[in-house]
Amino acid sequence: MEVDAEILDHYAEGREHARLTSGPSLELLRTRVLLERFLPAPPARVLDVGGGSGVYASWLSERGYRVHLIDPVPLHREQARADGRFSVAPGDARSLAEADDSYDAVLLLGPLYHLTDRTDRIRALTEAARVTRPGGIVAVAVISRYASTFDGYFRDYLGKPGFAAMMTRDLATGQHRNPGADPGLFTTAYFHDPASIASEITDSGLHLQDVLPIEGPLHWAPGIADRLSDPGQRRLILDTLAAMEHDPAVAGATSHLLAIGQRASAPAAGQEQR
């Protein structure tokens, strides 16, 4: 299956690795906290679909997980292979080469960003469920429907040509397009609200475990990177986000959401699954 050339060009610039690793990243830290909560214990097998440069695969490998990463972007695969502790291959989330029931957990921490058609998103989730063992976990990151709005007002992006119209469309439809291919803005994508990713998880045949804000509103807090550099402040930030994560009043006030689905367990011997 083909990936839009604009999307491939965006990631070929190499900014994704630096975005998560060049300084304290609330997205990275909080995603790790949430994955620790839901993933089975090592040495479980994890398939990292659209795993980029291997930021999460490297961390999981350090913890003793057996990880295989697939990604459609050649630069990402080159960066990921440099780690040497996990296997890497090209692949598309909508058509996985892996066998049925072959992984304890599957991560999709990016592929759904760029599947703008719901049919493709359901296909990717269904494929993830297929290769996950019964009882296993599928963890899915999506961009919040409201990310552009908060960026516009808190980061003063509204001064960029076309940004206001883009923000309005994001809010109305979730269909994000980069006006004029501005290199400072995100490429073609679909932005979810909590209800839409929840419905896609269940419509793919997975049992919905949770939908959680990753960074929450603290993503836009002044001085957040400096606070994350201090261990005590970092702990307070993560504890604060955990305390508010199930409040529906702030659930969408985040840059990213993490949805957790679980593959149905196999029926007990002599019983039919219903």
Side-chain angles (χ1 to χ4, degrees):
M1 293 184 176
E2 293 186 0
V3 179
D4 190 292
E6 178 191 334
I7 296 170
L8 289 175
D9 288 346
H10 172 83
Y11 286 109
E13 295 173 2
R15 291 182 293 175
E16 183 65 11
H17 182 81
R19 185 181 71 82
L20 290 172
T21 62
S22 60
S25 166
L26 182 55
E27 177 189 347
L28 176 67
L29 292 170
R30 171 82 168 149
T31 300
R32 286 177 173 179
V33 166
L34 295 177
L35 290 177
E36 286 176 333
R37 188 185 305 175
F38 290 102
L39 287 179
R45 295 196 66 207
V46 178
L47 178 64
D48 191 359
V49 181
S53 64
V55 171
Y56 291 103
S58 296
W59 170 70
L60 289 169
S61 296
E62 288 175 359
R63 295 173 58 81
Y65 288 92
R66 295 168 292 162
V67 184
H68 179 57
L69 180 150
I70 67 170
D71 198 276
V73 179
L75 174 61
H76 286 172
R77 297 196 299 272
E78 179 184 344
Q79 292 171 323
R81 287 192 180 102
D83 182 280
R85 290 174 296 180
F86 51 88
S87 55
V88 180
D92 188 304
R94 296 164 291 182
S95 182
L96 298 176
E98 285 68 30
D100 295 358
D101 309 339
S102 53
Y103 287 87
D104 300 298
V106 175
L107 308 182
L108 295 107
L109 303 182
L112 263 64
Y113 297 178
H114 304 298
L115 299 178
T116 57
D117 188 296
R118 191 178 192 273
T119 300
D120 279 340
R121 296 194 296 274
I122 296 297
R123 185 169 185 171
L125 289 167
T126 302
E127 276 289 272
R130 176 185 65 79
V131 304
T132 304
R133 65 165 175 79
I137 292 296
V138 177
V140 185
V142 296
I143 301 172
S144 169
R145 178 71 55 91
Y146 313 107
S148 293
T149 300
F150 285 103
D151 279 344
Y153 285 100
F154 286 103
R155 294 185 169 170
D156 201 25
Y157 283 10
L158 283 169
K160 290 178 173 286
F163 189 92
M166 181 198 74
M167 179 186 78
T168 301
R169 182 174 59 249
D170 289 353
L171 282 172
T173 69
Q175 294 290 345
H176 174 87
R177 302 294 182 273
N178 186 340
D182 184 332
L185 299 177
F186 199 51
T187 187
T188 297
Y190 181 77
F191 290 0
H192 286 78
D193 58 24
S196 61
I197 184 56
S199 70
E200 289 172 10
I201 291 288
T202 56
D203 287 352
S204 69
L206 292 163
H207 294 309
L208 180 67
Q209 298 296 298
D210 220 335
V211 177
L212 298 162
I214 295 180
E215 310 95 327
L218 299 188
H219 178 71
W220 294 278
I224 191 66
D226 290 337
R227 291 182 183 277
L228 287 169
S229 297
D230 177 85
Q233 287 290 309
R234 185 187 313 135
R235 183 70 266 160
L236 178 61
I237 289 166
L238 293 173
D239 288 347
T240 300
L241 289 172
M244 66 171 63
E245 66 185 20
H246 286 112
D247 186 340
V250 297
T254 185
S255 186
H256 298 84
L257 296 155
L258 188 73
I260 304 296
Q262 185 176 35
R263 171 91 183 272
S265 298
Q271 294 182 343
E272 293 184 2
Q273 191 169 9
R274 297 182 180 180

